[in-house]
Amino acid sequence: MGSGKTSASIELMNKPDSNKYIYITPYLDEVTRIKQSCNERKFYEPKVFSLDGELYFKLDSLHKLLSEGKNIATTHELFKMATDVTKDLIYNGGYTLILDEALEVVKEVNISASDTKMLLKEWLIKSDNGALLWDTAKEDKQNEIYSGKFQLVRRYALNNNLAIHNGVILLWSFPPNVFELFKDTYILTYLFESQLQKYYFDIHSIKYEYWSVMNEKDRYFFVNKKSSSIRDIKNNIKSKIKIYDGSLNKVGEGKYSLSKSWYINKKHLHKQLKNNTLNYFNNIMNSRSDKNMWTTYKDFKGKISGVGYTKGYVSVNERSTNKYQNKIVLVYAVNRFLNPVLDGYFKSRDIEVNQDMYALSELIQWIWRSAIRNNEPINLYIPSERMRSILVSWLNDEISL
C-alpha cells in the first residue's frame, strides 16, 4: 500500500511497445486516472451506447473494444461478468492484464435452501469438475428460454460461474481459466498471502510469484523479487498510528466480540458500543466531523451511528480509493472473520484459510483509506481485542509476512 504499484503500472503501460493492456480497478475514478495518465497509448472505457436504434450495454461495449484491439480500463464488476465471448476475444487479442486489488473470486449466492433444491432438480446439472451447468437441452425441448425469477442463476451457470457446497448452498465463482488467456497478469495488492484470491489460485493450481516495486529517481518499476522494504514501511507508520488503550475497550473483550454473530446475538450491547464511539470522537479526541472515519457491518450501521460522525461512515470492504485521505480519527468497530460458508468451501478442498491473516489484511486495507496513506498521523479506536492485538503484532513485526 502506497508503494507505487499504480505508478509502476502506468510506467509499464507507457512504454512504446506493441503490448495491449486491460486495466481492471474497483473504482471508476481510477479508470479515469489511467485514461488520463497513459499518454503513450490510448485507453478506452466500456460505455452503454446506441447503434442503429439498438441499445448496447457495457459488456457489449467491452466486446466491441476487445474485437478492435483497444487498450481498455474498466471495473472489477464488469470484468466479473466475463462470458465465453469475452474469453475468446481476450485470448485472440493477446492482452496483458493489470488487476488493481485482488478480485472477489467466490461469494455466496443468496438463495434459500428450498429454491436451491428445486433448481438442482429442475434446471442445474453438476459437471465432472464440480461446476453447475444450466440445462439448455430442457429449454430446447420446451422450445422456450427460461424467464423465471432465477435468471441470474441461469446466467451464472451459462458463464461457468456456479458451484455447489454442502449440497444446498450455491456459490458464485470466477472462472479460473480466464487467467490463462492473458500473456501476463499483474495483481496489484499487499498481503496477497492473506487474500481469498490466493487460496482460489491454490485450489485451481494457478501458479504465481511475488514481485515488488522499486523507485529510482521518482520512476517506479516492477522487479521480480519479494519486497524487502516492508519492515521500513511499518517502522515509519508505527509512530504515526496512535491506538486507543483504555476502558472503552471492555466492550470488545473476548475472541469473538464485535464479530457478525456478536452483533446478532448481543443486541443489548449495541447502545454501549454506540456510546463508546460517540465518546471517543466527541470527548476523548474532540475531533471535527469531517475528520472522522468509522465502520461497522452494513446491517448494523444505524445502530452505531451518532451525532458528529455518522457521515464519516466508510464501508468495511472499502479499498483502492483516495476519497478519505483527509480522515485522521478512525473507529473500526468490527471483528473480521471469513464467511463460514466460504471457509467451509475452502476446507472442503483441503485449503485452510488463516483467519487472523485474513482479518489483518482487511483491517489494513481499511485503515489505508485514511490520512496514513499520505504519511500523516492518525488516531485509531479498535474495540475488538482480537483485531487490536493482530494489528499491534503486525506493527511490532511479531507477525511475519
Side-chain angles (χ1 to χ4, degrees), residues 209-314:
E209 55 190 13
Y210 293 100
W211 286 41
S212 58
V213 175
M214 296 288 288
N215 178 11
E216 289 184 0
K217 299 179 181 178
D218 292 327
R219 296 194 69 178
Y220 294 87
F221 54 93
F222 296 116
V223 290
N224 188 2
K225 65 177 182 179
K226 205 167 184 178
S227 177
S228 59
S229 61
I230 298 301
R231 183 170 296 175
D232 294 337
I233 294 171
K234 283 196 286 187
N235 288 338
N236 178 48
I237 66 173
K238 180 179 176 181
S239 63
K240 293 181 171 63
I241 299 178
K242 185 177 181 181
I243 302 172
Y244 172 81
D245 184 19
S247 61
L248 299 185
N249 286 330
K250 279 187 177 181
V251 74
E253 291 177 350
K255 181 176 180 178
Y256 297 102
S257 293
L258 275 70
S259 65
K260 194 73 171 284
S261 61
W262 180 93
Y263 273 90
I264 294 170
N265 299 317
K266 299 282 187 178
K267 294 178 182 177
H268 57 285
L269 291 178
H270 291 176
K271 185 66 178 296
Q272 182 63 61
L273 181 57
K274 175 179 177 177
N275 289 341
N276 287 3
T277 303
L278 187 69
N279 191 0
Y280 179 74
F281 279 130
N282 293 356
N283 298 323
I284 294 175
M285 295 307 304
N286 191 25
S287 55
R288 287 169 36 188
S289 61
D290 64 326
K291 297 296 184 181
N292 294 338
M293 172 175 153
W294 69 286
T295 197
T296 186
Y297 300 106
K298 184 179 178 181
D299 293 344
F300 300 95
K301 177 183 174 183
K303 301 293 184 182
I304 312 301
S305 297
V307 177
Y309 63 87
T310 295
K311 291 183 178 179
Y313 178 80
V314 175

Side-chain angles (χ1 to χ4, degrees), residues 69-320:
K70 304 294 189 185
N71 294 287
I72 299 166
T74 189
T75 62
H76 281 204
E77 287 306 307
L78 183 58
F79 187 56
K80 283 165 25 180
M81 293 171 64
T83 66
D84 286 341
V85 173
T86 319
K87 297 173 194 175
D88 287 343
L89 291 170
I90 288 171
Y91 179 71
N92 286 287
Y95 280 93
T96 292
L97 172 65
I98 299 183
L99 182 59
D100 181 15
E101 295 297 346
L103 194 68
E104 181 184 39
V105 289
V106 60
K107 67 179 179 180
E108 184 179 0
V109 179
N110 189 22
I111 296 177
S112 69
S114 59
D115 283 337
T116 299
K117 288 178 181 177
M118 181 279 294
L119 286 165
L120 288 168
K121 181 180 179 181
E122 299 290 335
W123 288 105
L124 294 171
I125 303 168
K126 189 173 181 180
S127 68
D128 293 338
N129 64 5
L132 292 173
L133 308 177
W134 191 261
D135 192 353
T136 52
K138 184 175 181 179
E139 289 181 333
D140 293 339
K141 287 180 183 178
Q142 296 178 352
N143 199 27
E144 184 178 6
I145 294 176
Y146 174 84
S147 59
K149 68 176 183 177
F150 298 109
Q151 292 182 64
L152 185 62
V153 173
R154 179 181 183 272
R155 193 186 83 190
Y156 288 164
L158 291 175
N159 286 348
N160 297 313
N161 292 141
L162 208 57
I164 190 167
H165 177 59
N166 283 349
V168 292
I169 297 172
L170 294 175
L171 292 169
W172 176 91
S173 178
F174 191 75
N177 62 337
V178 169
F179 294 100
E180 301 171 1
L181 308 176
F182 294 94
K183 289 173 58 181
D184 292 295
T185 292
Y186 297 82
I187 301 174
L188 314 181
T189 192
Y190 174 56
L191 293 181
F192 183 71
E193 299 95 329
S194 313
Q195 296 171 6
L196 296 190
Q197 189 164 358
K198 182 266 186 191
Y199 297 112
Y200 161 92
F201 276 6
D202 291 344
I203 286 175
H204 296 289
S205 301
I206 298 173
K207 303 299 181 184
Y208 51 88
E209 55 190 13
Y210 293 100
W211 286 41
S212 58
V213 175
M214 296 288 288
N215 178 11
E216 289 184 0
K217 299 179 181 178
D218 292 327
R219 296 194 69 178
Y220 294 87
F221 54 93
F222 296 116
V223 290
N224 188 2
K225 65 177 182 179
K226 205 167 184 178
S227 177
S228 59
S229 61
I230 298 301
R231 183 170 296 175
D232 294 337
I233 294 171
K234 283 196 286 187
N235 288 338
N236 178 48
I237 66 173
K238 180 179 176 181
S239 63
K240 293 181 171 63
I241 299 178
K242 185 177 181 181
I243 302 172
Y244 172 81
D245 184 19
S247 61
L248 299 185
N249 286 330
K250 279 187 177 181
V251 74
E253 291 177 350
K255 181 176 180 178
Y256 297 102
S257 293
L258 275 70
S259 65
K260 194 73 171 284
S261 61
W262 180 93
Y263 273 90
I264 294 170
N265 299 317
K266 299 282 187 178
K267 294 178 182 177
H268 57 285
L269 291 178
H270 291 176
K271 185 66 178 296
Q272 182 63 61
L273 181 57
K274 175 179 177 177
N275 289 341
N276 287 3
T277 303
L278 187 69
N279 191 0
Y280 179 74
F281 279 130
N282 293 356
N283 298 323
I284 294 175
M285 295 307 304
N286 191 25
S287 55
R288 287 169 36 188
S289 61
D290 64 326
K291 297 296 184 181
N292 294 338
M293 172 175 153
W294 69 286
T295 197
T296 186
Y297 300 106
K298 184 179 178 181
D299 293 344
F300 300 95
K301 177 183 174 183
K303 301 293 184 182
I304 312 301
S305 297
V307 177
Y309 63 87
T310 295
K311 291 183 178 179
Y313 178 80
V314 175
S315 168
V316 73
N317 298 317
E318 193 75 84
R319 58 188 63 217
S320 190

